[in-house]
Amino acid sequence: METRVSLENGVLTLAPSGKLNAVSCLELHDKMMTFMPQAEKLIFDFADVDYVTSAGLRELLIAYEEMSSKDGIAIRNVNDEVMSALVMTGFDSYFEIE
């Protein structure tokens, strides 16, 4: 998995690719923790994410906790399988899904 990173005008965009599982989330976590302190808003672009396991959901929760005092988090380009996981876990109520 590779995670593309963009930080512009306080908006951090993280665009992982592939499967968000226990192994691949290590890179995502490292990039989140490196760049989130500099960001006011976080956008996950899931255009290239196939599916999300509980490890991926854990990373979303960590991001939510870290960004809760800022302008929030949006998730973009969510496929049906990932959306189903977000809805079943109730995560859809925590994030702005575009």
Side-chain angles (χ1 to χ4, degrees):
M1 182 189 89
E2 179 184 339
T3 301
R4 294 181 315 278
V5 178
S6 169
L7 180 61
E8 295 181 24
N9 299 318
V11 178
L12 172 62
T13 301
L14 296 172
S17 61
K19 303 165 185 164
L20 288 181
N21 57 31
V23 174
S24 64
C25 279
L26 297 174
E27 178 191 358
L28 178 61
H29 182 83
D30 287 344
K31 289 187 176 179
M32 282 173 30
M33 300 315 283
T34 298
F35 292 98
M36 279 192 303
Q38 304 163 52
E40 287 302 314
K41 182 173 178 84
L42 173 58
I43 297 171
F44 286 104
D45 184 345
F46 278 9
D48 296 322
V49 173
D50 300 325
Y51 71 87
V52 177
T53 67
S54 60
L57 295 174
R58 181 186 71 231
E59 294 306 320
L60 292 177
L61 184 58
I62 290 169
Y64 177 80
E65 291 172 350
E66 291 290 322
M67 299 297 292
S68 64
S69 64
K70 298 183 179 185
D71 291 339
I73 301 175
I75 305 174
R76 293 183 177 158
N77 303 313
V78 179
N79 70 30
D80 291 340
E81 188 171 340
V82 172
M83 187 62 180
S84 178
L86 294 174
V87 170
M88 284 192 295
T89 57
F91 277 47
D92 61 320
S93 64
Y94 291 100
F95 304 100
E96 176 184 343
I97 300 177
E98 303 173 350

